[in-house]
Amino acid sequence: DYLGLGQLKFSIQDFSEFMKIYSPNLSSSRLVSGNSIIYDDLESTISNWLNFKNCLIFNSGYDANLSIFNIFKDEDILVFSDQKNHASIIDGIRLSGLDKKIYNHLDYKDLEGKLAYHSNKNVQKLIVSDSVFSTNGNIVNIKKLVELKNKYNAILLIDASHSLGLSIFENYHDVDVLTASLSKAWGAHGGIILSSNDIRKLMINQGRTLIYSSSLPIYNLYFIKKSLQCLFDAGKRREKLTYLSDYFNKSFKVLFPNQTNSASPIKKITFDRLDVAKKIYNTLFENGVFLSYLRYPTVEKPTLRISLSYFHDEKDIDKLLELINQYYQGEKNV
Ligand SMILES: Cc1ncc(COP(=O)(O)O)c(C=O)c1O
């Protein structure tokens, strides 16, 4: 909930009117009788906004990433996937039984070497990457990936869950397929796939999580709609988040020179020892600071992940860093 849109107040009257217009329960897959005109309205607003030909709403970002790979199931395709891509991408590739090559995290030389090595013209190449990596906050170089996809005639698929709605990228115009969760900057729940008309058609025919699962409850679509309206005008919220990210980085660099910084709202501190990470997580929690504690196999090293939000301010960041620093006086493994 980077922009705090998940905590917006809403009018009960507005909500009740919405529920009256659209029947409360759709009770089946969108392909059976669970579709609604509100889905179509939202999809065309989202695709117009992001300048894609089409959009499809899924029940979650995870579902979107499972379905997108289904459409390549019976094709001669080779997927090139960043080493630190989200688990839903890994599962999507696996469940569709696609051949894949993993390239080192954000290492475009390694990617290019692999693309060049697998130069069989009859095999379609697909490059897939997170836009902002959920476990470390690193940001992909989309321009570089576009350059490589053009050079090697590949399809480029970006999971924009942690950047969509924020001011990290100017646009996604040269990306072929964009997937995203609606639970991050949107503060709602659901997933989307933005693509060409042909890919959307393939998804409707082959995307198993879309075909074989009941659609979202209607009230959920109300919140997607509400967040979308707010996203258009969330410039001030985005600016504040960028400011907080810079503020965090300045202090963090001084206190923890051996750790890496990110330009996204996801920050992280890694540890060599699990017990130390756990202890500091608990200490922070007891002091009213809640962050995520990631462990193997999600990450290689115990990691405390910080998600900055519009609701934070400088004092929160000072408090967080002060607490971590206090605890670590004398410890050398941060
Ligand atoms: C990069 C990325 N993609 C996909 C997902 C899955 O989205 P959802 O939670 O909507 O299923 C997540 C996390 O939740 C994520 O971080």
Side-chain angles (χ1 to χ4, degrees), residues 15 18-19 22-30 34-36 38-39 42 57-60 63 188-191 213-225:
F15 179 69
F18 181 93
M19 294 301 283
Y22 308 103
S23 73
N25 241 323
L26 297 173
S27 302
S28 78
S29 155
R30 289 181 69 185
N35 204 13
S36 161
I38 183 64
Y39 264 114
L42 283 170
I57 296 178
F58 285 76
N59 290 0
S60 67
D63 274 9
H189 181 94
S213 185
S214 296
S215 49
L216 286 165
I218 272 291
Y219 65 80
N220 196 119
L221 294 165
Y222 173 81
F223 291 107
I224 293 178
K225 182 172 182 229

Side-chain angles (χ1 to χ4, degrees), residues 60-62 65 86 88 130 134 159 161-162 181-184 190:
S60 67
Y62 190 91
N65 278 341
H86 189 258
S88 54
D130 282 11
S134 54
D159 177 336
S161 294
H162 292 278
S181 165
L182 302 183
S183 70
K184 318 296 178 193

Side-chain angles (χ1 to χ4, degrees), residues 21-272:
I21 298 171
Y22 308 103
S23 73
N25 241 323
L26 297 173
S27 302
S28 78
S29 155
R30 289 181 69 185
L31 270 70
V32 182
S33 59
N35 204 13
S36 161
I37 194 162
I38 183 64
Y39 264 114
D40 303 332
D41 289 351
L42 283 170
E43 286 169 350
S44 64
T45 312
I46 297 169
S47 52
N48 287 337
W49 173 42
L50 293 163
N51 214 7
F52 275 78
K53 280 272 181 290
N54 245 308
C55 173
L56 255 186
I57 296 178
F58 285 76
N59 290 0
S60 67
Y62 190 91
D63 274 9
N65 278 341
L66 288 201
S67 267
I68 187 63
F69 294 101
N70 289 162
I71 68 175
F72 302 108
K73 204 171 159 51
D74 299 317
E75 307 294 325
D76 269 335
I77 188 151
L78 185 54
V79 182
F80 297 80
S81 179
D82 187 290
Q83 183 192 11
K84 294 214 187 293
N85 274 342
H86 189 258
S88 54
I89 293 177
I90 299 169
D91 292 356
I93 298 168
R94 271 197 199 138
L95 285 171
S96 289
L98 306 183
D99 288 335
K100 64 171 186 293
K101 299 287 160 203
I102 308 295
Y103 62 91
N104 296 333
H105 182 44
L106 296 175
D107 183 344
Y108 304 117
K109 269 205 182 119
D110 185 40
L111 170 61
E112 175 150 26
K114 289 186 160 67
L115 285 163
Y117 184 77
H118 298 279
S119 59
N120 182 347
K121 296 248 177 330
N122 298 322
V123 175
Q124 174 65 57
K125 298 178 180 67
L126 175 91
I127 303 169
V128 57
S129 175
D130 282 11
S131 60
V132 172
F133 290 81
S134 54
T135 54
N136 60 22
N138 290 342
I139 299 175
V140 75
N141 183 343
I142 289 194
K143 273 198 185 129
K144 187 69 198 170
L145 289 188
V146 169
E147 190 189 306
L148 291 176
K149 83 134 186 159
N150 288 334
K151 186 166 172 189
Y152 292 93
N153 200 21
I155 298 169
L156 178 58
L157 166 49
I158 296 287
D159 177 336
S161 294
H162 292 278
S163 61
L164 205 64
L166 302 183
S167 43
I168 292 176
F169 300 101
E170 234 164 75
N171 60 60
Y172 301 92
H173 293 169
D174 296 315
V175 174
D176 299 305
V177 185
L178 205 70
T179 67
S181 165
L182 302 183
S183 70
K184 318 296 178 193
W186 291 55
H189 181 94
I192 47 173
I193 298 185
L194 290 139
S195 67
S196 66
N197 293 336
D198 285 347
I199 288 189
R200 188 181 194 268
K201 273 189 208 149
L202 282 167
M203 223 113 61
I204 289 170
N205 284 285
Q206 294 175 38
R208 294 177 72 83
T209 57
L210 180 76
I211 302 170
Y212 298 112
S213 185
S214 296
S215 49
L216 286 165
I218 272 291
Y219 65 80
N220 196 119
L221 294 165
Y222 173 81
F223 291 107
I224 293 178
K225 182 172 182 229
K226 189 144 184 57
S227 281
L228 181 59
Q229 285 159 350
C230 297
L231 264 182
F232 296 141
D233 300 321
K236 288 246 150 45
R237 287 173 185 254
R238 282 187 273 271
E239 265 172 37
K240 182 173 173 196
L241 199 61
T242 308
Y243 167 76
L244 287 176
S245 171
D246 294 344
Y247 183 87
F248 180 98
N249 285 352
K250 272 187 208 134
S251 309
F252 189 70
K253 214 188 237 164
V254 176
L255 291 173
F256 305 105
N258 297 332
Q259 297 273 337
T260 50
N261 256 327
S262 87
S264 75
I266 299 177
K267 314 292 183 191
K268 65 136 176 50
I269 308 184
T270 53
F271 300 84
D272 290 328

